[in-house]
Amino acid sequence: MARLDGKVALITGGARGIGEAHARAFAAEGAQVVIGDLLDDRGSALAAELGAVFVRMDVTSSADWAAAVDATVSAHGKLNVLVNNAGILRFRTVADMAEEELRRVLDVNLIGPWLGMKAVIEPMRRAGGGSIINTSSVEGYAAAAGLSAYAASKFGVRGITKAAARELGAHGIRVNSLHPGGVATELALDPSNADATGIDPEAFFKAIPLGRWGLPQDVAGAAVYLASDESAYCTGTEVLVDGGLLSGPGY
Ligand SMILES: NC(=O)c1ccc[n+]([C@@H]2O[C@H](COP(=O)([O-])OP(=O)(O)OC[C@H]3O[C@@H](n4cnc5c(N)ncnc54)[C@H](O)[C@@H]3O)[C@@H](O)[C@H]2O)c1
């Protein structure tokens, strides 16, 4: 029996990067997968390849959340797992960041997952429980210069995860946070980020104790664990997948 047999999972930001790896791993472990993303072409192509469903959605919109949850339940009769994975990164110092950029990062990375948790409570209660996986970051523990908005959003994700875990445990709904770091994706390698800060991505990755970039599939294993019944007694906890980045100072 596969580890996610019988589970129905909605994965936001599932069209590429870490979310795509989650979608592939979940499908391989027997889950029915629904991919929610803004990227129509990549999301639809991946869904077709995996036998999944693609829903175009913006995680900042409550109406889009309602439609995505409806599409999931219509397609598969229930919803057991939500992976709040969609996120954006903007490297900008406090001095240089515009107020709208700060609000946008918080809207996508923090309010988006909060809206998602709210939208799945009823279907998960009907299903007899569920697992919500909120994507934080190494930046949910420690902040880099240029990442005030991003770090605020990812520290915030840890907070909403623990509050929701306490609220929803009685309904059998588990809520945990996943903390990737140093994973080679289009988000992490966007050259405009290095341009904005002068940070050398190569120097950054040399600081990783395991001595290599993380791959999206390195993170997917932790998501499968949190989605599956193997983690049945874990709620309000944090899983760090960072190649050792946060194990100590980089000198
Ligand atoms: N790559 C890393 O090293 C790293 C480290 C820590 C945390 N993370 C987190 O992991 C998650 C995935 O990151 P990634 O590196 O795969 O990035 P990515 O940019 O490759 O993928 C992000 C996906 O989210 C989607 N998305 C963005 N805004 C959206 C919105 N408003 N509504 C719906 N979908 C939206 C994008 O279209 C994209 O498909 C993010 O939450 C990110 O903050 C990544």
Side-chain angles (χ1 to χ4, degrees), residues 102 108 111 125 128 133 174 214 236 243 247:
L102 166 69
V108 175
I111 296 179
R125 284 177 68 163
I133 301 163
R174 302 183 293 107
S247 54

Side-chain angles (χ1 to χ4, degrees), residues 59-60 65 84 106-117:
V59 296
T60 66
W65 272 109
N84 269 318
L106 293 174
D107 211 14
V108 175
N109 293 2
L110 178 59
I111 296 179
W114 189 92
L115 293 174
M117 294 197 299

Side-chain angles (χ1 to χ4, degrees), residues 39-66:
L39 300 177
D40 286 299
D41 292 351
R42 288 176 74 164
S44 311
L46 181 65
E49 182 190 333
L50 298 179
V53 171
F54 173 71
V55 180
R56 187 188 192 283
M57 70 177 294
D58 182 334
V59 296
T60 66
S61 158
S62 321
D64 283 8
W65 272 109

Side-chain angles (χ1 to χ4, degrees), residues 4-132:
L4 298 178
D5 270 350
K7 308 272 192 211
V8 176
L10 171 58
I11 302 172
T12 70
R16 75 178 198 195
I18 294 171
E20 175 182 346
H22 292 336
R24 290 183 182 282
F26 277 43
E29 290 293 348
Q32 303 286 345
V33 173
V34 178
I35 296 167
D37 206 298
L38 290 169
L39 300 177
D40 286 299
D41 292 351
R42 288 176 74 164
S44 311
L46 181 65
E49 182 190 333
L50 298 179
V53 171
F54 173 71
V55 180
R56 187 188 192 283
M57 70 177 294
D58 182 334
V59 296
T60 66
S61 158
S62 321
D64 283 8
W65 272 109
V69 168
D70 279 355
T72 305
V73 175
S74 304
H76 300 297
K78 60 177 185 164
L79 199 169
N80 307 110
V81 179
L82 168 65
V83 188
N84 269 318
N85 164 79
I88 57 173
L89 178 71
R90 296 284 181 275
F91 258 110
R92 205 80 65 207
T93 60
V94 174
D96 289 341
M97 182 170 264
E99 181 182 336
E100 310 83 71
E101 284 182 295
L102 166 69
R103 291 188 187 279
R104 180 69 190 157
V105 171
L106 293 174
D107 211 14
V108 175
N109 293 2
L110 178 59
I111 296 179
W114 189 92
L115 293 174
M117 294 197 299
K118 190 175 177 69
V120 300
I121 291 171
E122 273 319 306
M124 285 189 178
R125 284 177 68 163
R126 284 201 300 277
S131 172
I132 299 173

